[in-house]
Amino acid sequence: MIPSKSPMFLMVLIYSFFLSLWLVFQNPLLDSYFALGNVDWYANYAKTIFHPEHLAKVLYWGESILMPLIGNLVGASQTFIAYKVFCATLLISILPFLALLFQLYGQNALQTLLVVTIFGISFKLLQTAGLGYPDPLTILLLITAALSRNKVVIFLALSLAALAHFSMAAVGAIALSLLFFTTFEWNKKTGILFGLSSLAGLLFGRGVLELWYRHFDYLYTNGRLAAVLDKGIPFFAQQYVADIWGFWLTPGMPFLIVYTCILLYLLIYKHYLFMCTAVIALLLSYGVLFFTVDGLRGFAVTIVPAYVFLLATLSKSLFNKTTSTPRSK
């Protein structure tokens, strides 16, 4: 079944667009992101991405080349407002894109509606995302990897995600690979192939980044790990102790409730290994939250492939009452 030929799915797709639009406009800071007096380093980066020698030595830029590159190629880097509109368009497209991929995955419009709604109301970043970061593009690519059942697509999606934001994509890809390895949805051989495709895509993307640095003679010399080492663990521990409850509640109660229900479902149906992997995925994202000063965005981007994969797997199990083994391609 082709999703576009289903009247019910077309209604779900329209619904997902307006839900996404409504959620994004809930952001109280949305107007401020378009204020012309602001300085956006990614918008400036998009203008000079082919001439990095004009950039100051700033952490992280070098691992986030894809979104400013696309912005440059489509002309969105020409003005500050154009780049912000470009970023907002990608952010708003997350739920419709999720609906389209999930319909291809599950072939059930009601199931798609349920997953899009749950994801939309529980994924807090949609309502708080700052416009300019490469997060929306990274999320779209990680969702693609989570819902694909094709090794080549998984490889390509994670290769591009590594170019969009390597460190976040790396954590997300590792968590997703572990879920691929342990899921009850298909046989172990398929899980291993999908997991290896994920890791191979991540490594390939990193290789492309290194070639990019060398070709354009980037001044980039540091990464996330270096920043953590520079600040030292005591800095992050102090940050954690200052607001312990705020740390654990950063993803928001809707997300935590949904994730807890997922874990309880896996526990009840005795999918113990898969449940443990889901817990590891969650802890990996909390680890990112601990070792950054980015707040929600680091957690949200890294958890999204695991979260989408878990929602897809459990919703399919609930709707169909049986597990299926996709054909490895």
Side-chain angles (χ1 to χ4, degrees), residues 1-135:
M1 179 176 69
I2 300 175
S4 61
K5 292 185 177 180
S6 168
M8 177 65 178
F9 171 68
L10 287 177
M11 294 176 63
V12 172
L13 192 61
I14 294 171
Y15 161 80
S16 67
F17 170 75
F18 283 104
L19 176 61
S20 189
L21 196 65
W22 180 76
L23 289 170
V24 170
F25 273 87
Q26 296 304 302
N27 191 335
L29 300 177
L30 188 62
D31 290 343
S32 67
Y33 297 135
F34 290 91
L36 293 177
N38 287 345
V39 176
D40 188 294
W41 43 305
Y42 273 107
N44 293 333
Y45 184 29
K47 293 179 181 179
T48 59
I49 191 166
F50 294 109
H51 308 283
E53 65 273 12
H54 299 302
L55 297 173
K57 291 186 178 180
V58 181
L59 296 177
Y60 314 145
W61 279 8
E63 65 173 16
S64 307
I65 66 172
L66 186 59
M67 188 158 166
L69 173 62
I70 295 174
N72 183 289
L73 295 178
V74 301
S77 62
Q78 294 181 4
T79 66
F80 175 83
I81 296 296
Y83 194 78
K84 292 296 183 177
V85 171
F86 167 65
C87 296
T89 300
L90 289 176
L91 183 64
I92 293 169
S93 70
I94 289 176
L95 285 186
F97 188 72
L98 174 63
L100 178 61
L101 289 187
F102 201 87
Q103 182 68 13
L104 290 170
Y105 166 81
Q107 299 292 323
N108 185 312
L110 183 60
Q111 184 181 356
T112 301
L113 174 65
L114 177 64
V115 169
V116 167
T117 301
I118 291 174
F119 182 87
I121 63 176
S122 64
F123 196 65
K124 188 177 174 183
L125 189 68
L126 291 173
Q127 303 176 55
T128 62
L131 295 182
Y133 295 109
D135 302 343

Side-chain angles (χ1 to χ4, degrees), residues 116-291:
V116 167
T117 301
I118 291 174
F119 182 87
I121 63 176
S122 64
F123 196 65
K124 188 177 174 183
L125 189 68
L126 291 173
Q127 303 176 55
T128 62
L131 295 182
Y133 295 109
D135 302 343
L137 181 59
T138 311
I139 288 170
L140 290 170
L141 292 166
L142 291 174
I143 288 176
T144 301
L147 292 179
S148 176
R149 296 300 172 259
N150 184 300
K151 297 186 294 295
V152 175
V153 174
I154 293 171
F155 174 85
L156 292 175
L158 287 173
S159 296
L160 293 173
L163 298 178
H165 199 297
F166 177 75
S167 57
M168 289 187 181
V171 176
I174 290 170
L176 182 61
S177 297
L178 292 174
L179 291 171
F180 281 160
F181 290 148
T182 60
T183 181
F184 59 88
E185 188 184 4
W186 53 62
N187 60 58
K188 185 177 294 186
K189 179 181 178 181
T190 302
I192 291 174
L193 289 174
F194 285 176
L196 292 178
S197 297
S198 303
L199 298 176
L202 183 67
L203 293 175
F204 181 79
R206 182 65 198 185
V208 173
L209 276 178
E210 293 296 335
L211 291 175
W212 183 278
Y213 301 159
R214 292 177 180 275
H215 180 74
F216 290 103
D217 194 23
Y218 262 51
L219 297 175
Y220 169 86
T221 57
N222 296 290
R224 291 269 174 172
L225 181 59
V228 170
L229 295 175
D230 288 342
K231 291 181 180 295
I233 292 180
F235 169 84
F236 298 103
Q238 185 178 21
Q239 182 178 256
Y240 168 74
V241 172
D243 188 10
I244 296 175
W245 278 108
F247 173 85
W248 291 104
L249 295 177
T250 295
M253 286 305 298
F255 171 86
L256 293 173
I257 291 171
V258 173
Y259 211 94
T260 299
C261 290
I262 291 172
L263 296 178
L264 288 175
Y265 176 91
L266 295 174
L267 178 64
I268 291 170
Y269 284 92
K270 300 180 180 179
H271 300 298
Y272 300 129
L273 183 58
F274 193 48
M275 183 193 73
C276 290
T277 308
V279 172
I280 291 172
L282 183 65
L283 292 177
L284 283 172
S285 291
Y286 268 116
V288 171
L289 179 62
F290 181 87
F291 285 111

